[in-house]
Amino acid sequence: MSTIAPQLDPFALAKELSGKHFIDGAFRPAASGKTFPVVNPATGEQVAEAAYGEAADVDAAVAAAKKAQKEWAKRPARERGKLVAECGRVLDAHKEEIARLVALETGKALRTESRVEAGVLSDAFTFFGGLGGELKGETVPFNPTMLTMTVREPVGVVGAIIPWNVPLMLMALKIAPAMVAGNAVVVKSAEEAPLAVLRAIQLISTILPPGVINMLSGYGPECGAPLVAHPDVHKVTFTGSVETGKIVYKTAAEKLIPVTLELGGKSPMIVCGDADLDQALAGAIAGMRFTRQGQSCTAASRIFVHDSIHDVFVEKLKEKVNAMKMGDPLDESTDIGTIVSRQQMDRVQSYIALGKEAGGTAHVCSAMPTDAKLTKGLYVQPHIFTGVKNTDRIAKEEIFGPVCCIIRWTDYDDVIEQANDTEYGLAATIWTRDIKLAMDAVTRLEAGFVQVNQNLVVQPNLSYGGVKTSGLGKEATLEAMLEHFTHKKTIIINMK
Ligand code: ADP
């Protein structure tokens, strides 16, 4: 178990973690000595600095990973798994401080979002830690005189690039399986959210051999790009925007290395006239991730509601969202925190303007916080748009903010067509009591994650990932660990 005492004051912890990468089992400043500010989006105040990662830091982290990987891969798979599961226990013991820290840097409300994420972080390590023994090969009936088999081998050094919206969970779903499979990892955190990830890595490094897990903070082009391009990185797993995903894919193609890409979404939620209204409303709130300010690639941001219940659905949804409290992310009574950054806030506001220009009606919900210390906070009230079309930009493009479109429908075939009329294919839901209709919809909806009458979030053991431009490859399962973090070697022994 870790010897590091929990630090429940996120401001003090942020200062402690200031200006550091984590390389080869120890904190290390950037090679250049440069840093960049980490800002509390609820107040606009700087809470820490992060090490400014560049190519020299990437070189150091990859070299440490390369060295450590060889010995790590020699350990029995179940032993690696046990250590990763032990990481889960350490993270669980520290989950409150991790939750507070991620709330501070991202603005996600502690009670409704950050604690939930810290829970999934440790759970993912526990889940993958139990899968060491599943790294099995096969015997092949090739020839009775030739014993033919396959074994699973690690790919080597994995580069894991993560975003800011659920940085801990998305990191865990990449690094835990990668390490159990015998790889060493270099994580590149998102510029907006480097601290909680760094703390998590410091904590698990009390369990793991030095160099097996390393972390760099920095900007995409200066730090992420050299990581993808590094000749000793043999696999990249990336979650972020479609634009950056394409850049990563191109670089990986030049090197001929495999990538996993989890990209954007504009997920449809189809509510039929016979749906359980209360269930569907709860599903819209959960699916739209209002408590996370809609900052989710699976956000149910296009809600198609049958004409017969459209008006009552809109009224009741407004009522429910109005009852949610916007406030200080660290305050226990807060349901909805802030947008992560000024840049993201500008983007969200530009889409709100586009929705109005398209003739939509914005139903603005919830109340802005009144606390004087939050006046510079990046708060955007939830906007529920009606009167927009599926073809309007507000309904077509990913916003990553608390903005959803409610679109009225009457014809079932037409609504399925509209739901699929998007470049994305991450998630979709249908809400109905008609089992035949539900079965038909789940086969026709073009998405990687389709649910009926519920809107669960990603979790270990549920295959997660998109089709179309939402990504390449699925994550979060045993199969994902085998497919993405190992390669098969065929061995033939001539017995004649
Ligand atoms: P978002 O819009 O959610 O910030 P990005 O795709 O820009 O999405 O960022 C996701 C992650 O990708 C972040 O860690 C970011 O620093 C990183 N990133 C951005 N540009 C590049 C790049 N050219 N190469 C590698 N990583 C990048």
Side-chain angles (χ1 to χ4, degrees):
M1 208 32 114
S2 150
T3 47
I4 299 173
Q7 168 53 280
L8 291 171
D9 175 356
F11 294 91
L13 187 52
K15 287 210 171 65
E16 252 178 60
L17 295 167
S18 240
K20 293 158 183 158
H21 297 309
F22 199 91
I23 299 174
D24 209 8
F27 285 125
R28 205 188 278 189
S32 65
K34 285 200 293 189
T35 59
F36 61 96
V38 184
V39 173
N40 173 1
T43 61
E45 282 162 14
Q46 181 172 331
V47 291
E49 289 172 303
Y52 193 107
E54 292 175 295
D57 305 291
V58 170
D59 288 345
V62 173
K66 187 178 176 185
K67 188 167 117 244
Q69 193 266 330
K70 298 218 167 7
E71 291 307 310
W72 179 241
K74 282 184 197 157
R75 295 199 186 204
R78 282 199 62 215
E79 188 183 310
R80 291 194 304 261
K82 279 185 187 163
L83 290 175
V84 168
E86 183 62 19
C87 293
R89 276 187 283 280
V90 171
L91 292 168
D92 193 54
H94 286 258
K95 70 179 172 212
E96 181 62 18
E97 61 158 48
I98 293 174
R100 285 167 181 268
L101 193 57
V102 83
L104 176 67
E105 64 185 338
T106 62
K108 292 195 301 181
L110 178 62
R111 179 176 52 80
T112 56
E113 283 291 333
S114 298
R115 275 200 193 110
V116 180
E117 189 187 356
V120 182
L121 168 73
S122 55
D123 187 37
F125 280 81
T126 310
F127 170 73
F128 282 108
L131 298 182
E134 296 301 320
L135 288 152
K136 295 169 186 160
E138 300 140 340
T139 53
V140 183
F142 175 56
N143 185 319
T145 65
M146 294 179 204
L147 176 60
T148 305
M149 60 189 137
T150 61
V151 292
R152 293 270 177 188
E153 292 190 342
V155 290
V157 176
V158 172
I161 299 180
I162 55 174
W164 47 262
N165 64 330
V166 255
L168 298 161
M169 181 186 86
L170 296 172
M171 172 181 75
L173 295 176
K174 297 179 187 311
I175 73 174
M179 293 191 301
V180 172
N183 304 283
V185 186
V186 178
V187 177
K188 209 292 277 170
S189 60
E191 37 278 60
E192 297 84 353
L195 299 175
V197 162
L198 179 60
R199 180 61 162 181
I201 285 184
Q202 178 200 10
L203 291 167
I204 65 174
S205 294
T206 59
I207 307 292
L208 300 166
V212 169
I213 182 74
N214 307 275
M215 192 212 105
L216 302 170
S217 47
Y219 291 88
E222 291 85 357
C223 187
L227 177 61
V228 179
H230 198 290
D232 289 329
V233 170
H234 308 299
K235 157 86 196 183
V236 172
T237 168
F238 170 88
T239 299
S241 62
V242 174
E243 299 73 42
T244 309
K246 286 180 185 169
I247 297 172
V248 167
Y249 200 16
K250 278 186 193 144
T251 309
E254 280 299 318
K255 288 170 61 183
L256 280 175
I257 60 162
V259 288
T260 310
L261 302 173
E262 203 263 276
L263 308 174
K266 193 79 186 174
S267 299
M269 164 169 178
I270 300 175
V271 187
C272 299
D274 70 340
D276 177 326
L277 193 59
D278 287 334
Q279 202 176 42
L281 287 162
I285 301 227
M288 203 15 237
R289 312 277 193 270
F290 279 113
T291 51
R292 201 191 297 159
Q293 290 279 51
Q295 299 173 131
S296 164
C297 38
T298 23
S301 47
R302 293 183 298 143
I303 307 181
F304 296 93
V305 183
H306 191 263
D307 183 47
S308 59
I309 56 164
H310 176 276
D311 295 352
V312 60
F313 187 93
V314 172
E315 278 318 302
K316 285 191 182 262
L317 185 62
K318 276 161 52 179
E319 232 173 72
K320 285 191 183 291
V321 181
N322 271 326
M324 296 169 88
K325 186 181 165 213
M326 296 174 75
D328 183 344
L330 288 165
D331 187 327
E332 294 289 343
S333 68
T334 297
D335 295 302
I336 301 177
T338 72
I339 300 283
V340 75
S341 67
R342 171 69 52 187
Q343 188 193 7
Q344 189 58 24
M345 183 157 157
D346 291 346
R347 179 185 162 86
V348 173
Q349 279 165 341
S350 74
Y351 277 101
I352 291 173
L354 276 176
K356 290 178 184 164
E357 276 165 34
T361 305
H363 306 270
V364 184
C365 300
S366 196
M368 288 290 269
T370 49
D371 189 336
K373 76 173 195 278
L374 304 177
T375 47
K376 291 201 180 124
L378 305 177
Y379 290 93
V380 175
Q381 285 167 280
H383 279 58
I384 298 170
F385 268 87
T386 53
V388 290
K389 295 187 294 304
N390 193 41
T391 46
D392 291 333
R393 280 186 63 192
I394 189 173
K396 267 175 77 171
E397 297 172 17
E398 187 175 46
I399 302 174
F400 236 70
V403 181
C404 69
C405 300
I406 301 201
I407 300 170
R408 195 187 287 270
W409 68 274
T410 47
D411 181 70
Y412 170 69
D413 287 323
D414 179 60
V415 78
I416 294 282
E417 207 166 293
Q418 289 196 63
N420 288 337
D421 185 15
T422 167
E423 63 167 301
Y424 297 111
L426 196 50
T429 59
I430 177 143
W431 303 74
T432 178
R433 289 183 165 97
D434 181 340
I435 183 73
K436 283 192 180 156
L437 191 83
M439 284 308 297
D440 181 72
V442 296
T443 54
R444 287 167 69 182
L445 286 167
E446 295 166 3
F449 190 29
V450 182
Q451 298 177 69
V452 178
N453 295 335
Q454 65 174 19
N455 230 328
L456 293 184
V457 297
V458 184
Q459 40 206 300
N461 208 24
L462 292 182
S463 181
Y464 182 71
V467 296
K468 294 153 83 176
T469 63
S470 289
L472 275 184
K474 307 279 189 272
E475 297 190 277
T477 61
L478 167 64
E479 292 71 30
M481 176 173 87
L482 299 176
E483 276 168 34
H484 302 318
F485 299 118
T486 70
H487 69 85
K488 259 186 188 178
K489 178 184 273 180
T490 299
I491 300 171
I492 308 179
I493 302 170
N494 185 351
M495 299 185 299
K496 260 214 296 209

